[in-house]
Amino acid sequence: MSTQQKQWGAIIVMIALFAMIAFVTNLCTPMATIIKNQGGNDYQESG
């Protein structure tokens, strides 16, 4: 395996780890709140 392939492999692993940690620790909630407050009222419950 060449060094270029190893670097891409390491980058992909880091992105995958970050995605798993962000999902488990619920880091994506602020982004969902921002999108919801910008007029995307499809997912909001009325009442």
Side-chain angles (χ1 to χ4, degrees):
M1 208 194 251
S2 69
T3 30
Q4 189 74 24
Q5 288 176 322
K6 285 182 184 175
Q7 285 176 342
W8 277 110
I11 290 171
I12 290 170
V13 168
M14 283 190 284
I15 291 172
L17 281 172
F18 174 76
M20 285 187 277
I21 293 168
F23 179 73
V24 169
T25 57
N26 210 8
L27 286 177
C28 53
T29 305
M31 193 48 145
T33 308
I34 292 169
I35 293 172
K36 192 163 60 174
N37 290 337
Q38 283 183 349
N41 295 327
D42 299 334
Y43 303 109
Q44 284 182 338
E45 295 179 11
S46 57

